[in-house]
Amino acid sequence: MRTSIATVCVSGTLAEKLDAIAAAGFDGIELFETDLVTSPLSPEEVAGRCADLGLTIDLYQPFRDFEGVEPSVLAANLRRADRKFELMHRLGTDRILVCSNVGTATVPYDETAVDQLGRLAELAAEHEVVMAYEALAWGKYVSTYDHAWRIVEQVAHPALGVCLDSFHILSRGSSLDTIADIPGEKIAYAQLADAPRMNLDALSWSRHYRLFPGEGSWDLADFVARMLAAGYTGPLSLEVFNDVFRESDPRVTAVDARRSLVALEDEVARRNGDSALEVLPAPIELGGFSFVELAPGVSDPRGSDGSASETLSEPSSSSDVERMLQALGFTETGSHRRKNVALWQQGDARIVVNHGLEASSAGIAALGFDVRVVREAAARADALQNDVLHRDHRAGEDELLAVRAPDGTEVYFSELSSGTGGGAGRRWTAEFGDGDASVPSAHPLRIDHVALVQPWDRVEEAVLFYRSLLDLTATEFVDVPGASGLVRSRSLVSPAGGIRLALNALPDHARDDSDYPNHIALVTDDLLGLLRRLDGLPLLEVPGNYYDDLDARYGLAPGLLDELRAANVLLDRAGDGEFLHAYTRPVGRVFFELIERRGGYDGYGAANAPVRLAAQRRLTGALPSGTSPAALLPSRTT
Amino acid sequence: MRTSIATVCVSGTLAEKLDAIAAAGFDGIELFETDLVTSPLSPEEVAGRCADLGLTIDLYQPFRDFEGVEPSVLAANLRRADRKFELMHRLGTDRILVCSNVGTATVPYDETAVDQLGRLAELAAEHEVVMAYEALAWGKYVSTYDHAWRIVEQVAHPALGVCLDSFHILSRGSSLDTIADIPGEKIAYAQLADAPRMNLDALSWSRHYRLFPGEGSWDLADFVARMLAAGYTGPLSLEVFNDVFRESDPRVTAVDARRSLVALEDEVARRNGDSALEVLPAPIELGGFSFVELAPGVSDPRGSDGSASETLSEPSSSSDVERMLQALGFTETGSHRRKNVALWQQGDARIVVNHGLEASSAGIAALGFDVRVVREAAARADALQNDVLHRDHRAGEDELLAVRAPDGTEVYFSELSSGTGGGAGRRWTAEFGDGDASVPSAHPLRIDHVALVQPWDRVEEAVLFYRSLLDLTATEFVDVPGASGLVRSRSLVSPAGGIRLALNALPDHARDDSDYPNHIALVTDDLLGLLRRLDGLPLLEVPGNYYDDLDARYGLAPGLLDELRAANVLLDRAGDGEFLHAYTRPVGRVFFELIERRGGYDGYGAANAPVRLAAQRRLTGALPSGTSPAALLPSRTT
């Protein structure tokens, strides 16, 4: 299907917006009136620019406050419409959005709206313009799409159809069944927006928090499928007002936007079982975490000269992050045959420390996921306009294919080897010597989830990136209070549960990302037993007050409470489930969490996150600085 | 009255919060449970720290989800309460907030709540604890303060009173009349918060947008007056959850918070006509703008050596900002007798250019207001914990007294001279030679308003600063869409209308303040006439599309439309009023607006601000940059 986007979705001047939209591969635009009014480009120049960029102007929008008015107002409104229709000729577009009246309407009767929109349709027809009438969720008398359709049906004029905007319909929780009653040719336009679930008046929700499909909480695929079933043949078009996108790089936003439509169209086809309409290779079926790659940071004594050092196996020469892995019970099971990369394992958890990475502090560089066929994964990533990275590999080595996530993390796909007898072996581990030589452990670990801090302007994009590429499902955001602001956290889970990611959005004015390290959560069957064996593991200290409160809340057996307290282990409960967890102190920009899930506990212990954030904050020091007036002021010497 | 503040109001660790709160002069705190739970300080250590800082712990808070539960849950709740009462002994506090149940309540009957709270009161009495029962606006069965009072009245136990929280009461629009029915000794605690008017569910509104009194939209003075009338004798205490304050410097927030209570207490006393209770010198009665001071910026050829240059009167040596003043029809009417400061006048508008100020670019450094008695103004500023600046002055010169506003702007007060015969003369102008020698002008100007960009973390504080110091009234915030995000704008007006200020909050991630210069709006009776005389004034160019839209909207007479278009003048209408305005191009971080108000138009032409923001944006260039993943990533060489 053709893809279109309202110019209001991205930041910049109109010229900058058009460039970004075209570069992202859209077929057309909705031209937002304010973007034209504030532009020095004449309508003819805008038309020319769009033509040069291969963009059509699919809709001029919006025309407001027309119908349901007194006769004296109607005359002025028709005059205003006449001017806009003339303008549309100059722009070379023949379709206009007419929103239901929110301001000037004084006559509540449908007959008046029908009569007045009928007169407008006559005028539109003279100008060869088609109008798409849209019920705004906060329209004064017309606020539902079925009401708008009843009016359009009564006007019964070829120049008038409805505009179906997913936001206005889904924000009201309207039934979608009426869509089937609308003949396809009377759906003059369709606008798509997703949104997070919020308890907010529809106007504020709409103006500040709309999202691209797949980034919010709604089922846009169902919405689109119903429109297609009704016979809609226009473009899939985005109209998203979002405060963050308004402040972001329009070139990034436009690609994110287009990706949302491609993924949506593909989802609609798959759900309908219509393989002819699929526009993407199949979603990637994930096993579990194949590995997590760490950069050791500048404290790494092995340097970054790319050559393996002969001191590799000397504990005294290992990096901070490797000393932490040792303390966690990991063993270095191999080093890459030609790169300065070490493989560390404990149970089914594999951590790769890449001494060839230059980073000022230790941190997560890449995630590796087990997939069935790497090339299929790469094909889908590529079709979704993701940044596919072909990494250096040699004959006999596993093909290294990665995709860059919006926060810069590289996502690798690796195939399980078949026919080696072992079954679950990974081909890439063979490059590290003996292959997947897991070391026996009394308390084997597995990577449960990885939590990644996201830049303020890439959070929504990251959600769509992982959902569209990997077919993960997302929870709603939860707010976690930290000492320097609220952290918004959203988790994503693969269908079989093997992959869990937590994406954390920092407070808007977070001073320094290093206050909010990323982390790797390792799961065990017996956390307290494991910790008894890991003597000397540097855990984050949990305040005594926490255990007093835990006791007040849960009334734990005294022995258990003492044991938790002595081991710096936190506890959360949900239903019959229980979650035990402990955090290591950070190493650079990463720390580890050791967890145990009991009785089907499916969360992440968010209730305890403030304890962790406060403890980490005490380690890093300084107060939120705020803006000093002195920095803004001329310096006064007299 | 004693002043108190909940620890949740400010950012930081508990220790940092206590330091900031004590430094701001508070008498006590409400100790927020999460702050204690996440702190490594034991309860005894917290008590000791508070004592050392001169702070009492007025309230421990909150205790949640107690009443209206099944008997089995009640037992656990009583046990939990018992532990908290023991904790309170360790803290040395005897008062606890009990919130109405939002989660676990299953029994909707008042009798159950009365019975269960009665049992809790018995337990509290054993521990010598007093409970303040508060109806949360989103409580499951108890959500209004009069309902909470009916329950407390039935329990009739000395250990149980109500807590009145202005947020929960005013957010629901409850009548305040019931307050008079509550005996003062049964108001066990009072929590104060202001808030902006929003259409938001009460929970989100409460958790993210509360403000200190005087920063929002509510009449807190009336609320407090009613509690005092009922006999409340506890502290005035703040409980404000605000996302921005959570991210700001706690030392700044705490002073802002305390200022809000002092101003509030004073307002209550004045409104009651009870001069004995006034805690501040009287609010400052403002005339109009005495002057605006500009820093010329580094391009200033006269340097910043502090000495008047002999080239002062040479036009070729004047700064960019002075060339702009000349183009606006201003005349340099004098230079300061011993400082390198020039006075420029046009009609009643006075602009002081201070060549002694060091600034990288031209900008507004200070505002001067006409007042009756300067020393009174300084006394009120000082009592409000403002930063009062005593500037260098000599015998025979006007006393220079200024207060630093939160954004760094200095606010000067100047007295009108009496007895000089002229009446409206200003003493300070005598230091510039001939005194207030206004130059005759066919189109005399006056300063109408000044618009100041505020740092993200000082906006609410700035509103309170101006309101409490100068007795200005504030409008609600309006959002103005710019090319790089939404600008939130709020205006403040003095009672007689002589002073108008517009405070603009930038998008959260605004790349560079210089994209959003401050401005000085100068009002004339005949804007088009004035502009005809000001040949060569560099105005911001208004796009032709704007005039096409103006024509469509208003159907102006063709002659007028052409004239507006030729002169780059914008038009706004409200009711019968009309607003004509034009913007100069920026000079450094400042520009001028020329305006004409017709027929009682009282606004600022906000509808046209997007045109200005887009034009300014085109002048400054680059796209919003966003976060580049490369900046976050380890650099990969293999």
Side-chain angles (χ1 to χ4, degrees):
Chain A
M1 296 181 69
R2 298 185 71 253
T3 56
S4 189
I5 183 171
T7 53
V8 74
C9 299
V10 300
S11 72
T13 62
L14 180 57
E16 291 161 351
K17 290 173 187 229
L18 295 179
D19 286 346
I21 289 168
F26 279 94
D27 302 303
I29 61 163
E30 301 179 25
L31 182 57
F32 189 59
E33 183 160 79
T34 304
D35 282 322
L36 180 68
V37 165
T38 61
S39 173
L41 299 175
S42 71
E44 291 79 6
E45 286 169 334
V46 171
R49 195 120 170 188
C50 287
D52 290 347
L53 292 167
L55 294 171
T56 52
I57 303 179
D58 297 324
L59 190 73
Y60 186 73
Q61 61 120 330
F63 191 81
R64 293 187 188 281
D65 289 343
F66 177 79
E67 84 291 8
V69 298
E70 301 295 331
S72 61
V73 178
L74 180 66
N77 286 357
L78 284 167
R79 186 184 168 289
R80 178 162 54 99
D82 192 61
R83 295 298 168 91
K84 295 300 176 188
F85 295 158
E86 284 170 9
L87 172 68
M88 290 168 63
H89 276 284
R90 297 175 62 192
L91 287 165
T93 182
D94 67 354
R95 202 151 292 229
I96 187 170
L97 179 73
V98 177
C99 296
S100 64
N101 199 324
V102 301
T104 61
T106 52
V107 188
Y109 310 115
D110 278 9
E111 305 89 86
T112 303
V114 168
D115 173 60
Q116 296 181 344
L117 285 168
R119 293 181 58 176
L120 186 61
E122 285 296 325
L123 183 64
E126 288 171 26
H127 288 276
E128 298 176 42
V129 160
V130 173
M131 306 187 303
Y133 180 59
E134 172 180 87
L136 300 181
W138 53 92
K140 190 160 176 191
Y141 300 124
V142 178
S143 58
T144 62
Y145 81 103
D146 41 329
H147 190 182
W149 164 236
R150 283 200 304 276
I151 289 170
V152 166
E153 197 174 18
Q154 290 176 67
V155 173
H157 192 291
L160 181 69
V162 291
C163 173
L164 299 184
D165 179 313
S166 64
F167 183 89
H168 293 291
I169 297 171
L170 297 172
S171 67
R172 296 186 62 104
S174 300
S175 158
L176 300 186
D177 291 345
T178 302
I179 294 175
D181 300 338
I182 309 176
E185 72 276 10
K186 297 302 276 185
I187 305 177
Y189 209 77
Q191 293 178 313
L192 300 176
D194 203 344
R197 247 180 266 287
M198 298 179 87
N199 285 313
L200 190 60
D201 70 296
L203 178 59
S204 307
W205 193 10
S206 170
R207 291 275 168 87
H208 302 286
Y209 298 102
R210 288 187 180 209
L211 294 169
F212 297 122
E215 296 177 349
S217 306
W218 290 335
D219 184 356
L220 272 299
D222 178 47
F223 182 83
V224 169
R226 287 168 181 263
M227 289 198 309
L228 297 182
Y232 174 67
T233 56
L236 288 183
S237 189
L238 296 165
E239 189 192 34
V240 168
F241 308 88
N242 180 290
D243 287 359
V244 172
F245 299 154
R246 280 182 189 275
E247 299 184 27
S248 306
D249 186 330
R251 296 162 296 198
V252 173
T253 308
V255 170
D256 180 34
R258 179 117 202 301
R259 180 180 299 138
S260 78
L261 288 185
V262 173
L264 178 61
E265 188 178 355
D266 190 61
E267 190 181 350
V268 171
R270 273 171 218 287
R271 235 192 257 186
N272 284 352
D274 191 343
S275 60
L277 294 177
E278 289 168 11
V279 292
L280 294 172
I284 300 165
E285 284 175 45
L286 293 178
F289 283 99
S290 188
F291 64 90
V292 173
E293 182 189 50
L294 298 178
V298 284
S299 70
D300 181 17
R302 286 163 63 188
S304 56
D305 60 357
S307 68
S309 156
E310 63 269 36
T311 61
L312 194 79
S313 58
E314 303 263 341
S316 66
S317 71
S318 60
S319 59
D320 288 348
V321 82
E322 286 173 309
R323 277 190 288 276
M324 179 64 84
L325 288 170
Q326 266 181 324
L328 283 162
F330 278 73
T331 305
E332 185 171 348
T333 55
S335 57
H336 194 271
R337 58 172 76 139
R338 64 182 181 85
K339 299 179 193 171
N340 190 358
V341 178
L343 172 61
W344 291 76
Q345 290 183 260
Q346 204 281 44
D348 200 36
R350 284 164 298 280
I351 307 275
V352 163
V353 180
N354 187 340
H355 297 276
L357 291 178
E358 288 174 26
S360 59
S361 56
I364 295 174
L367 309 177
F369 297 136
D370 291 328
V371 298
R372 216 168 41 83
V373 186
V374 164
R375 293 200 175 219
E376 285 176 6
R380 184 169 173 96
D382 191 58
L384 281 165
Q385 293 178 270
N386 290 310
D387 192 6
V388 179
L389 312 163
H390 295 270
R391 292 300 180 202
D392 158 50
H393 69 282
R394 305 236 172 119
E397 292 181 3
D398 207 35
E399 184 172 0
L400 277 180
L401 262 177
V403 182
R404 195 192 301 281
D407 68 350
T409 305
E410 299 185 2
V411 176
Y412 284 81
F413 300 105
S414 87
E415 290 173 26
L416 295 180
S417 63
S418 54
T420 58
R426 283 161 193 81
R427 289 215 297 253
W428 64 267
T429 59
E431 296 160 31
F432 288 80
D434 292 338
D436 204 352
S438 177
V439 178
S441 164
H443 296 91
L445 294 174
R446 188 170 48 76
I447 297 174
D448 180 89
H449 64 273
V450 175
L452 298 169
V453 166
Q454 301 295 306
W456 64 270
D457 55 342
R458 314 296 294 251
V459 185
E460 318 296 355
E461 185 191 357
V463 170
L464 177 62
F465 168 82
Y466 286 110
R467 286 174 86 171
S468 60
L469 186 63
L470 306 177
D471 199 24
L472 305 182
T473 53
T475 62
E476 301 291 321
F477 273 104
V478 295
D479 284 331
V480 180
S484 317
L486 296 178
V487 176
R488 287 170 66 233
S489 184
R490 193 171 190 191
S491 65
L492 300 158
V493 184
S494 63
I499 301 289
R500 294 164 180 264
L501 297 172
L503 302 181
N504 295 325
L506 297 190
D508 279 332
H509 302 277
R511 189 167 39 95
D512 186 350
D513 285 358
S514 64
D515 284 6
Y516 298 91
N518 295 318
H519 79 266
I520 301 168
L522 303 160
V523 65
T524 169
D525 289 339
D526 175 11
L527 178 58
L528 292 168
L530 173 66
L531 288 174
R532 276 191 295 270
R533 298 167 61 95
L534 298 180
D535 204 28
L537 178 66
L539 289 178
L540 211 56
E541 277 181 46
V542 178
N545 298 329
Y546 171 79
Y547 294 101
D548 293 347
D549 181 59
L550 204 59
D551 186 34
R553 283 190 287 139
Y554 295 145
L556 301 177
L560 175 59
L561 189 71
D562 293 344
E563 196 169 6
L564 294 176
R565 192 192 294 263
N568 286 300
V569 168
L570 299 101
L571 177 68
D572 188 33
R573 286 182 177 169
D576 292 333
E578 226 172 31
F579 186 67
L580 277 71
H581 57 144
Y583 308 104
T584 71
R585 293 170 70 103
V587 179
R589 287 203 58 210
V590 67
F591 69 93
F592 296 86
E593 184 180 9
L594 292 167
I595 73 175
E596 178 184 342
R597 297 178 179 277
R598 294 178 177 174
Y601 181 99
D602 200 40
Y604 301 85
N608 293 324
V611 175
R612 167 173 67 79
L613 288 169
Q616 288 175 341
R617 173 61 202 293
R618 286 191 295 274
L619 292 176
T620 58
L623 284 178
S625 58
T627 307
S628 158
L632 306 165
L633 243 198
S635 106
R636 187 176 294 272
T637 55
T638 56
Chain B
M1 299 179 68
R2 297 185 70 255
T3 55
S4 190
I5 182 170
T7 53
V8 74
C9 299
V10 299
S11 72
T13 63
L14 180 57
E16 292 162 350
K17 290 173 187 230
L18 295 179
D19 287 346
I21 288 167
F26 279 94
D27 302 302
I29 61 162
E30 301 178 27
L31 182 57
F32 189 61
E33 183 160 79
T34 305
D35 282 320
L36 180 69
V37 166
T38 62
S39 174
L41 299 175
S42 72
E44 291 79 6
E45 286 169 335
V46 172
R49 195 120 171 189
C50 286
D52 291 346
L53 292 168
L55 294 171
T56 52
I57 303 178
D58 297 323
L59 190 73
Y60 186 73
Q61 61 120 333
F63 192 81
R64 296 187 188 279
D65 290 342
F66 177 79
E67 84 291 7
V69 298
E70 300 295 330
S72 61
V73 179
L74 179 65
N77 286 355
L78 284 166
R79 185 184 168 288
R80 177 161 55 101
D82 193 61
R83 296 296 168 92
K84 295 300 176 187
F85 295 159
E86 286 170 8
L87 171 69
M88 289 168 64
H89 277 283
R90 298 174 63 192
L91 287 165
T93 182
D94 67 354
R95 203 151 291 230
I96 187 171
L97 178 72
V98 178
C99 297
S100 63
N101 198 325
V102 300
T104 61
T106 51
V107 188
Y109 311 114
D110 278 9
E111 306 89 87
T112 304
V114 167
D115 173 62
Q116 296 181 343
L117 284 167
R119 293 180 60 176
L120 185 62
E122 285 295 324
L123 183 65
E126 287 171 26
H127 288 275
E128 300 175 40
V129 160
V130 174
M131 305 187 302
Y133 180 58
E134 172 180 87
L136 300 182
W138 53 92
K140 190 161 175 190
Y141 300 125
V142 178
S143 58
T144 63
Y145 81 102
D146 43 328
H147 190 182
W149 165 235
R150 284 199 305 275
I151 290 170
V152 167
E153 196 174 20
Q154 289 176 69
V155 173
H157 193 291
L160 182 68
V162 290
C163 173
L164 299 184
D165 179 314
S166 64
F167 183 89
H168 293 292
I169 297 171
L170 297 172
S171 67
R172 295 187 60 104
S174 299
S175 158
L176 301 185
D177 292 344
T178 303
I179 295 176
D181 300 339
I182 310 175
E185 72 275 11
K186 296 302 276 185
I187 304 176
Y189 209 77
Q191 292 177 314
L192 301 176
D194 203 344
R197 248 180 265 289
M198 297 178 87
N199 285 314
L200 191 61
D201 70 296
L203 178 58
S204 307
W205 194 10
S206 170
R207 292 274 168 85
H208 302 286
Y209 299 101
R210 288 188 181 208
L211 294 168
F212 298 121
E215 296 176 351
S217 306
W218 291 335
D219 183 358
L220 273 300
D222 178 48
F223 182 82
V224 170
R226 287 167 181 265
M227 289 198 308
L228 297 182
Y232 175 68
T233 57
L236 288 182
S237 189
L238 297 166
E239 188 193 33
V240 168
F241 309 88
N242 180 290
D243 288 358
V244 172
F245 299 154
R246 279 182 190 275
E247 299 184 26
S248 307
D249 186 331
R251 296 164 296 198
V252 173
T253 308
V255 170
D256 180 35
R258 180 120 201 300
R259 180 180 299 139
S260 78
L261 288 185
V262 173
L264 178 61
E265 189 177 355
D266 190 62
E267 189 181 350
V268 171
R270 273 172 218 287
R271 235 192 258 187
N272 284 351
D274 191 344
S275 59
L277 294 178
E278 288 168 11
V279 292
L280 295 173
I284 299 165
E285 285 175 44
L286 291 178
F289 283 99
S290 188
F291 65 90
V292 173
E293 181 188 50
L294 298 178
V298 284
S299 69
D300 181 17
R302 287 163 61 189
S304 54
D305 60 356
S307 67
S309 157
E310 62 269 37
T311 61
L312 193 79
S313 57
E314 302 263 342
S316 65
S317 73
S318 59
S319 59
D320 288 348
V321 82
E322 285 172 309
R323 276 190 287 276
M324 179 64 85
L325 288 170
Q326 265 181 324
L328 284 161
F330 278 72
T331 305
E332 185 170 348
T333 56
S335 57
H336 194 271
R337 58 172 78 138
R338 65 184 181 82
K339 298 178 192 171
N340 190 357
V341 179
L343 172 60
W344 290 75
Q345 290 184 258
Q346 205 279 43
D348 202 35
R350 284 164 298 281
I351 307 277
V352 164
V353 179
N354 187 339
H355 297 275
L357 292 177
E358 286 174 27
S360 59
S361 56
I364 295 174
L367 309 178
F369 298 136
D370 292 327
V371 298
R372 215 168 43 81
V373 186
V374 164
R375 290 195 179 226
E376 286 177 6
R380 184 168 173 96
D382 191 57
L384 281 165
Q385 292 177 271
N386 290 311
D387 192 6
V388 179
L389 312 164
H390 294 270
R391 291 300 180 204
D392 160 48
H393 70 281
R394 305 239 171 115
E397 292 180 1
D398 205 36
E399 185 172 0
L400 275 179
L401 264 177
V403 182
R404 198 193 299 282
D407 68 350
T409 305
E410 298 186 1
V411 175
Y412 284 81
F413 299 105
S414 88
E415 290 173 24
L416 294 180
S417 63
S418 54
T420 57
R426 281 160 194 83
R427 290 216 296 254
W428 64 268
T429 58
E431 296 161 30
F432 287 80
D434 293 337
D436 204 350
S438 176
V439 179
S441 165
H443 296 90
L445 294 173
R446 187 170 50 74
I447 297 174
D448 180 90
H449 64 273
V450 175
L452 298 170
V453 166
Q454 301 295 306
W456 65 271
D457 55 342
R458 313 298 292 252
V459 185
E460 318 296 356
E461 185 191 357
V463 169
L464 177 61
F465 168 82
Y466 286 111
R467 286 173 85 171
S468 60
L469 185 64
L470 305 178
D471 199 24
L472 306 182
T473 53
T475 62
E476 301 289 323
F477 272 104
V478 294
D479 285 331
V480 179
S484 317
L486 295 179
V487 175
R488 287 171 65 233
S489 183
R490 192 171 189 189
S491 65
L492 300 158
V493 185
S494 63
I499 302 289
R500 294 165 180 265
L501 297 173
L503 303 181
N504 296 324
L506 297 191
D508 279 332
H509 302 277
R511 190 167 37 100
D512 184 353
D513 285 358
S514 64
D515 285 5
Y516 299 91
N518 295 320
H519 79 264
I520 301 168
L522 303 161
V523 65
T524 171
D525 290 339
D526 176 11
L527 179 57
L528 292 169
L530 173 66
L531 288 174
R532 277 191 294 268
R533 297 168 60 96
L534 297 181
D535 205 28
L537 178 66
L539 289 178
L540 212 57
E541 277 180 46
V542 178
N545 298 329
Y546 171 79
Y547 293 101
D548 293 346
D549 182 59
L550 205 59
D551 186 34
R553 283 191 287 138
Y554 294 145
L556 300 178
L560 175 59
L561 189 72
D562 292 345
E563 197 169 8
L564 295 175
R565 190 191 296 259
N568 285 302
V569 168
L570 298 101
L571 176 70
D572 189 32
R573 286 182 178 170
D576 293 332
E578 227 174 30
F579 186 66
L580 276 70
H581 57 145
Y583 307 104
T584 71
R585 291 170 69 104
V587 179
R589 286 205 59 210
V590 66
F591 69 93
F592 296 87
E593 183 180 8
L594 292 168
I595 72 175
E596 178 184 342
R597 296 179 179 278
R598 295 177 177 174
Y601 181 99
D602 201 39
Y604 301 85
N608 293 325
V611 175
R612 167 172 68 78
L613 288 169
Q616 288 175 343
R617 173 61 203 293
R618 286 191 296 271
L619 292 176
T620 59
L623 284 178
S625 56
T627 307
S628 157
L632 306 164
L633 242 200
S635 103
R636 187 176 291 273
T637 53
T638 57

